[in-house]
């Protein structure tokens, strides 16, 4: 009974690490109920002494009853017995759960579909742990499904899991190993003492306390090292995976801060049902301004990320004005304004200040520093929550002539870099949209007009996907998305046109309430910034605004189409170009193009829309992966057999390989004897018990004789066994075995599984070896017997001169 409970507790402990993925605590109670059902089913099966396959067969039924009771009780009989309607309801919830997972970024809301998927997944993990640890008695291997559960939050979120949750999960697994070790020891039987008083050891059970104490000490030491050692190791600067370095004097030599996935966090904020206040601000000119947090300038083909930032001591905001805006020359007119910003106390951890671009001066309490290339302001020690600060901004106010004559010479070519694999149709589309533009500025305006008007895009926060394929689908087929897709797509198209571009993440100007502007969660936004030498970085707005788009988004005045008198212009057309029109009946009017239909290339050839990977294909890929995993033992056995057969024909000692193959063959077919059985005894037993045919008997004799001579004779046999001998023996013995034995020998060979078991037990034996290193002293009992006990610190009763040894026998229960 104790081992099933330990398996359930271990699963519950690891389940705690899922906390960063969800809002609230509903998910935990749903998962805890599923674990409880699995544990009870396993404990009852163990208590009744059922065969090992009973619990794995009964537990899924019990979990189905539980899920029916929790999620679809109204459609079930007696609120718990599944019916056709309740099963259909569960299937519908599973489908909606998969859709919600694609829509929301962590932390996800506690929707019924997501909770159902989570509870079912945790129940599956609990069942696997029970099967491995309790039914198959492989507690060490039970760590594999627990590790799979632990890696889920590590793969989804970039922020580290709290050390407390890690410690709880680790103790859960260590407790399972200790419980398994104690139960193994309890089966050894009672210790029978030779010299003892009558009845002194009657009914004595094996002492498992020392084993438990040793396991706990080792477990605590390992967990403490896992938590403390990474904390004292030097960190990488910049961190190549999840963060970035901030060097040159921060906190006495530098520090590191990590940021969440800006794009994923943006999508999560826009999809949240709760629209909480993030900040409020006042402006001296009463004009709302976008507030930028992150500037993403690297596109790796999957998502936009930011380059390493550098905060030097002289760039502290308390030292005076911020560094000058890159690319802005002194002669260009600027609009100066002062803002006072108040951050909410309830926002998530944020080490960056939301600021208008370009900020000229920032007055804020704390060690805040500016990165010279991006003018992002950040701190490794302070957070923005609850902060009040003052900002002075000097936004460029170029004339139309300055805009049209500006060139695109960036500081470096990193703002033009694109990965390989960009669909060539995207580049062709960018050239087609800007065909009438004579200058880079006019091309930028034409791109913005195409996104907000001519391209007939639709705003939808439920859209998802990233990478080159998602970019192609968004631009060439679906044309549905939210600010993430619009900003990233326009930045990529601008770079294809040799216009330096980057993506900014932050908030729109918000809504004016009374005398101040209020920025809320749903005002989270992404927009592209394009570089024009002499003017610097300018914001553009390709995302639809208003009721049909992101409500508080605003198109900057300088990006509105103009009609210059001395050159070509980017006049928007009243409808899609001929190349963008869909085939079919045009009498229906200028409706939005059907994304399911065919788009047209520049040369007029039809290009089929990419439908993505169908769900049945995904299921097939998953099933193929699971099948490949199940066939690993069979593949390992086949590879081992072929290697041995090659050794038989190529080496003088091939008889050893033939003997090893014969022993594994007998193990797989359930005919193995004792490990100490001699070759001659094995040959006699197999020949008498299974009545081999004449040819197979001769082959068996050759294998046995060859092994005997290799072991005991001064020289090996001149003619050893051949691969054909093993084939004949296997064919003859297989005919004597049952069908299930033959199938098991092919798909789940016991010889391979026993080697896996031995490897697991070898890993566990490390603890026993550590235990054996402890010194032992003699101890005398009051009745005159003497026992061997581990030395304990401070134990004054341990006698160094006691040299008598107690002789004990072990009575087996088997």
């Amino acid at each position: 009974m104790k081992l099933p409970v330990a398996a359930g507790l271990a699963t519950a402990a690891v389940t705690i690490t899922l906390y960063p993925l969800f809002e609230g605590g509903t998910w935990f109670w749903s998962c805890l109920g599923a674990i409880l059902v699995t544990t009870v089913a396993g404990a009852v099966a163990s208590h009744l002494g059922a065969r090992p396959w009973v619990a794995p067969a009964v537990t899924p039924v019990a979990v189905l009853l539980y899920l029916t009771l929790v999620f679809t009780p109204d459609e079930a009989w007696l609120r718990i017995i599944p019916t056709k309607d309740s099963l259909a309801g569960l299937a519908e919830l599973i489908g909606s759960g998969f859709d919600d997972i694609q829509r929301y970024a962590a932390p996800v809301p506690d929707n019924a579909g997501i909770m159902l998927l989570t509870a079912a997944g945790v129940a599956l993990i609990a069942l696997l742990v029970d099967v491995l640890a309790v039914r198959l008695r492989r507690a060490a291997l039970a760590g594999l499904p627990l590790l799979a559960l632990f890696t889920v939050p590590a793969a989804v979120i970039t922020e580290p899991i709290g050390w407390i949750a890690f410690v709880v999960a680790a103790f859960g697994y260590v407790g399972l190993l200790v419980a398994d070790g104690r139960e193994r020891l309890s089966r050894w039987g009672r210790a029978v003492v030779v010299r003892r008083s009558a009845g002194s050891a009657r009914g004595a059970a094996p002492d498992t306390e020392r084993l438990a104490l040793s396991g706990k000490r080792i477990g605590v030491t390992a967990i403490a090292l896992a938590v403390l050692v990474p904390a004292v190791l030097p960190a990488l600067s910049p961190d190549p995976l999840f963060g970035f370095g901030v060097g040159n004097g921060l906190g006495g030599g530098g520090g590191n801060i990590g940021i969440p996935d800006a794009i994923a966090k943006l999508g999560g904020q826009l999809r949240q049902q709760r629209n909480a206040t993030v900040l409020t601000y006042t402006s001296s000119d009463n004009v709302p301004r976008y507030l930028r947090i992150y500037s993403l300038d690297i596109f790796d083909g999957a998502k936009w990320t930011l380059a390493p930032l550098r905060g030097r001591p002289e760039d502290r905001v308390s030292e005076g004005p911020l560094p000058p805006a890159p690319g802005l020359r002194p002669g260009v007119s600027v609009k100066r304004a002062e803002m006072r910003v108040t951050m909410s106390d309830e926002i998530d951890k944020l080490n960056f200040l939301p600021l208008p671009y370009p900020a000229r001066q920032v007055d804020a309490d704390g060690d805040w520093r500016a990165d010279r290339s991006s003018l992002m302001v950040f701190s490794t020690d302070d957070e923005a929550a609850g902060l009040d600060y003052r900002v002075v901004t000097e936004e460029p106010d170029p004339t139309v002539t300055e805009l049209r004559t500006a060139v695109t010479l960036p500081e470096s070519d990193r703002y033009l870099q694109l990965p390989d694999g960009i669909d060539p149709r995207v580049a062709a589309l960018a050239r087609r949209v800007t065909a009438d533009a004579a200058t880079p500025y006019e091309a930028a305006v034409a791109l913005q007009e195409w996104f907000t008007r001519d391209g007939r895009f639709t705003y939808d926060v439920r859209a998802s996907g990233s990478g080159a394929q998602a970019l192609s689908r968004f631009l060439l087929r679906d044309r549905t998305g939210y600010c993430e897709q619009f900003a990233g797509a326009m930045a990529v198209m601008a770079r294809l046109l040799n216009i330096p571009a980057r993506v900014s993440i932050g908030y729109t100007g918000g809504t004016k309430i009374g005398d101040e502007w209020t920025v809320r969660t749903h005002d989270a936004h992404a927009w592209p910034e394009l570089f024009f030498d002499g003017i610097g970085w300018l914001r553009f707005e390709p995302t639809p605004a208003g009721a049909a788009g992101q409500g508080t988004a605003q198109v900057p005045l300088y990006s509105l189409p103009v009609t210059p008198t001395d050159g070509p212009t980017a006049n928007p057309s009243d409808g899609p170009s001929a190349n963008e029109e869909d085939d079919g009946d045009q009498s229906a009017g200028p409706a939005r193009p059907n994304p399911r239909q065919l788009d047209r290339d520049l040369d007029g050839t039809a290009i089929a829309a990419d439908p993505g990977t169908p769900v049945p294909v995904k299921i097939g890929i998953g099933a193929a992966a699971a099948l490949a995993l199940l066939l690993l033992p069979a593949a390992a056995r086949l590879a081992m057999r072929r290697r041995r057969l090659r050794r038989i024909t190529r080496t003088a000692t091939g008889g050893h390989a033939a003997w090893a193959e014969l022993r594994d063959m007998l193990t797989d077919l359930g005919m193995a004897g004792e490990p100490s059985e001699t070759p001659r005894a094995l040959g006699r037993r197999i020949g008498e018990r299974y009545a081999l045919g004449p040819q197979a008997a001769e082959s068996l004799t050759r294998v046995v004789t060859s092994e005997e001579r290799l072991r005991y004779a001064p020289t090996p046999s001149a003619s050893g066994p051949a691969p054909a001998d093993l084939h004949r023996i296997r064919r003859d013995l297989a005919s004597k075995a049952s069908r299930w034995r033959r199938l098991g020998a092919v798909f789940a060979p016991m010889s391979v599984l026993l080697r896996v078991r031995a490897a697991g037990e070898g890993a566990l034996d490390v603890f026993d070896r550590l235990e054996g290193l402890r010194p032992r002293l003699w101890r005398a009992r009051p009745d005159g017997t003497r026992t061997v006990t581990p030395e304990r610190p401070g134990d004054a009763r341990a006698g160094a001169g006691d040299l008598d040894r107690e002789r004990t026998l072990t009575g087996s229960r088997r």
Side-chain angles (χ1 to χ4, degrees):
M1 291 284 290
K2 293 182 179 180
L3 196 55
V5 174
L9 291 176
T11 307
V14 179
T15 302
I16 295 176
T17 61
L18 300 179
Y19 74 92
L21 304 180
F22 304 95
E23 295 178 353
T26 305
W27 69 273
F28 179 75
W29 300 112
S30 301
C31 295
L32 189 61
I35 295 172
L36 183 61
V37 169
T38 304
T39 303
V40 170
V44 171
S46 297
H47 180 70
L48 297 178
R51 300 182 70 85
W53 57 267
V54 173
V58 173
T59 300
V61 179
V63 172
L64 178 60
L65 296 177
Y66 166 76
L67 297 178
T68 301
L69 176 63
V70 174
F71 294 99
T72 57
D74 296 335
E75 291 80 14
W77 184 52
L78 299 179
R79 302 184 64 83
I80 191 172
I81 306 300
T83 63
K84 182 179 179 180
D85 293 336
S86 68
L87 293 177
L90 290 176
E92 184 178 353
L93 285 177
I94 290 175
S96 64
F98 277 113
D99 293 337
D100 290 342
I101 289 174
Q102 300 297 324
R103 291 172 51 196
Y104 295 101
V108 298
D110 54 349
N111 293 346
I114 296 178
M115 295 302 101
L116 173 59
L117 285 176
T118 306
V122 170
L124 177 60
I125 296 295
L127 176 59
L128 292 176
V129 172
D130 182 85
V131 169
L132 291 173
V134 183
R135 314 305 152 193
L136 300 180
R137 301 309 304 271
R138 304 291 184 269
L141 290 180
L144 294 178
L146 293 177
L147 180 62
L149 183 62
F150 180 82
T151 56
V152 171
V156 173
I157 63 174
T158 56
E159 296 178 347
I161 298 173
W163 67 269
I164 296 179
F166 169 78
V167 169
V168 172
F171 268 115
Y173 180 54
V174 171
L176 176 61
L177 295 179
V178 171
D180 178 72
R182 295 183 65 171
E183 184 164 331
R184 287 175 183 270
L185 185 59
S186 67
R187 296 185 177 185
W188 290 358
R190 297 193 303 271
V192 181
V193 183
V194 175
R195 289 180 289 144
R196 56 178 172 81
S197 59
S200 61
R202 186 173 301 164
D207 182 13
T208 62
E209 292 299 324
R210 303 191 188 284
L211 177 63
L213 180 61
S214 176
K216 291 174 183 177
R217 288 176 178 174
I218 294 172
V220 170
T221 302
I223 295 171
L225 291 176
V227 173
L228 297 179
V229 170
V232 299
L233 291 178
L236 295 176
S237 179
D239 185 346
L241 293 179
F242 303 114
F244 48 86
V246 184
N248 210 15
L250 271 179
N256 285 328
I257 56 177
I259 64 170
D261 188 331
I263 293 294
K265 191 173 182 65
L266 166 68
Q269 287 182 313
L270 291 175
R271 300 185 187 105
Q272 286 181 5
Q273 298 178 355
R274 181 169 173 261
N275 192 17
T277 298
V278 177
L279 60 89
T280 58
Y281 69 90
T282 59
S283 177
S284 60
D285 57 1
N286 202 28
V287 173
R289 285 178 171 82
Y290 280 30
L291 301 174
R292 190 192 63 171
I293 301 178
Y294 309 119
S295 179
L296 314 180
D297 50 18
I298 299 176
F299 182 62
D300 59 7
K303 62 181 179 180
W304 287 86
T305 56
L306 52 81
L309 303 182
R310 187 172 181 83
R312 302 187 299 183
E314 58 267 29
D315 291 332
R316 290 189 178 97
V317 299
S318 58
E319 298 294 327
L322 269 64
L328 179 61
R329 64 171 178 258
V332 176
S333 176
V334 296
K335 293 186 295 184
R336 183 182 178 90
E338 179 179 328
M339 301 172 61
R340 294 188 177 272
V341 183
T342 300
M343 301 295 300
S344 170
D345 294 325
E346 300 179 357
I347 64 171
D348 295 336
K349 181 180 179 181
L350 181 63
N351 296 102
F352 296 77
L353 293 183
L355 298 172
Y357 183 86
R360 192 70 184 96
Q361 186 172 348
V362 177
D363 297 330
D365 294 334
D367 186 5
W368 297 91
R369 307 188 182 192
D371 175 69
R372 285 183 172 266
S373 62
S374 64
L375 295 187
M376 295 170 58
V377 174
F378 56 92
S379 173
T380 59
D381 301 319
D382 302 291
E383 296 185 24
L387 187 66
D388 294 328
Y389 55 95
R390 170 179 168 270
V391 186
V392 176
T393 179
E394 294 181 352
E395 299 175 351
D397 186 23
T399 63
V400 174
T401 301
E402 290 174 331
L403 288 170
R404 295 181 58 245
T405 57
V407 294
T408 56
L409 299 177
E411 302 174 301
S412 66
D413 61 352
R414 78 173 193 230
Y415 301 108
L416 293 173
Q417 291 180 354
L418 288 171
D420 297 333
I422 299 294
D423 195 330
R425 294 178 297 172
V426 175
L429 177 63
R431 292 191 297 269
R432 185 176 73 224
V433 170
T434 60
D436 295 334
T439 66
Y441 161 71
E442 292 179 3
V445 173
L447 285 177
Q448 177 178 277
E449 278 292 293
W450 183 72
F451 278 106
T452 57
R453 180 179 174 183
D454 299 342
R456 298 183 179 181
F457 284 81
T458 301
Y459 181 86
D460 191 346
V461 297
R462 296 172 298 180
S464 62
S466 60
Q469 292 184 352
L471 175 69
S472 299
R473 288 197 301 269
F474 173 68
L475 291 174
L476 303 173
R477 179 172 65 89
D478 295 344
R479 295 187 180 176
T480 298
Y482 63 101
C483 54
E484 170 194 345
Q485 285 82 21
F486 285 97
M490 181 170 174
V492 169
M493 295 178 75
R495 290 190 176 190
L496 290 170
L497 298 172
N498 292 320
I499 304 175
R502 64 189 184 187
V503 173
S504 292
I505 304 290
Y507 295 95
T508 64
T511 305
K512 189 173 185 181
I513 301 177
D515 295 332
E516 63 182 12
W517 298 85
T518 299
V519 176
R520 301 182 183 276
T521 305
H522 289 179
D523 294 320
H525 193 47
W527 62 91
E529 291 180 342
L530 276 58
F531 184 89
F532 301 93
D533 189 49
I535 300 173
W537 292 98
L538 290 179
R539 173 178 69 88
F540 285 81
E541 186 52 271
T543 304
Q550 190 151 355
T552 53
Q554 292 183 338
V555 176
L557 294 177
Y558 56 76
S559 67
L560 294 176
V562 295
T563 307
T565 57
D566 55 351
T569 182
N571 290 326
S573 61
D574 295 332
S577 64
N579 289 331
E580 296 176 321
E581 291 180 357
D582 297 325
D583 293 335
D585 187 9
Q586 301 294 328
S587 61
R592 178 177 176 268
N594 185 353
R596 304 284 183 186
Q597 293 180 355
L598 299 180
D599 203 355
R600 290 283 177 180
D601 199 332
L602 285 178
D603 57 3
T605 59
I607 302 174
D610 180 13
T613 305
V615 173
V617 174
K618 295 180 180 179
I619 295 175
I621 293 174
L627 181 61
L629 184 63
L630 293 176
L631 292 178
L632 279 179
R637 180 72 180 92
L638 181 60
M640 187 181 303
R641 180 183 300 122
R642 289 181 175 177
R643 184 171 64 252
R644 287 171 176 168
L645 294 180
R646 287 195 297 268
R647 287 182 57 191
I648 292 173
T649 57
R650 295 179 181 178
T651 62
T653 58
H656 281 320
W659 175 255
E661 177 61 24
L662 175 63
R663 294 299 299 264
D664 282 353
M665 181 193 310
L666 296 175
T667 301
D668 295 339
L669 294 173
M671 302 175 183
E674 296 296 330
S676 59
E677 192 174 27
T678 64
R680 183 170 299 182
L682 182 144
R684 186 185 307 113
R685 176 176 61 85
I686 295 299
E688 294 175 354
R689 180 175 301 180
Y690 298 103
L692 299 180
Q695 293 183 347
E698 292 178 4
S699 297
L700 178 62
T701 301
R702 275 193 290 271
V703 174
V704 169
T705 303
S706 176
E707 178 64 18
E708 278 188 328
R709 291 189 63 84
L710 286 172
R711 288 189 184 185
Y712 311 118
T715 59
S717 175
S719 60
D725 292 324
L726 292 171
H727 290 312
R728 280 193 291 267
I729 297 172
R730 181 181 181 84
R731 184 170 58 251
D732 205 327
L733 289 177
S735 64
K736 307 296 191 299
S738 65
R739 178 182 302 174
W740 293 109
R741 279 288 187 185
R742 294 197 298 270
L743 289 175
V746 174
F747 297 106
M750 186 57 64
S751 58
V752 174
L753 299 181
L754 288 177
R755 286 183 172 85
V756 175
R757 172 187 175 180
E761 291 178 348
L764 287 177
D765 287 343
V766 174
F767 297 100
D768 297 334
R769 297 189 184 100
L770 293 176
E771 180 72 16
L773 294 177
R774 300 172 59 186
R776 295 174 175 270
L777 293 177
W778 301 108
R779 173 164 301 168
R781 289 182 178 174
D783 58 4
T785 61
R786 303 187 184 272
T787 60
V788 182
T789 58
E791 180 183 7
R792 296 182 181 178
D795 193 345
R797 296 178 300 169
D802 247 340
L803 301 178
D804 292 337
R805 186 182 301 269
E806 177 189 30
R807 291 173 296 174
T808 62
L809 300 176
T810 301
S812 177
R813 295 179 181 175
R814 299 177 185 176

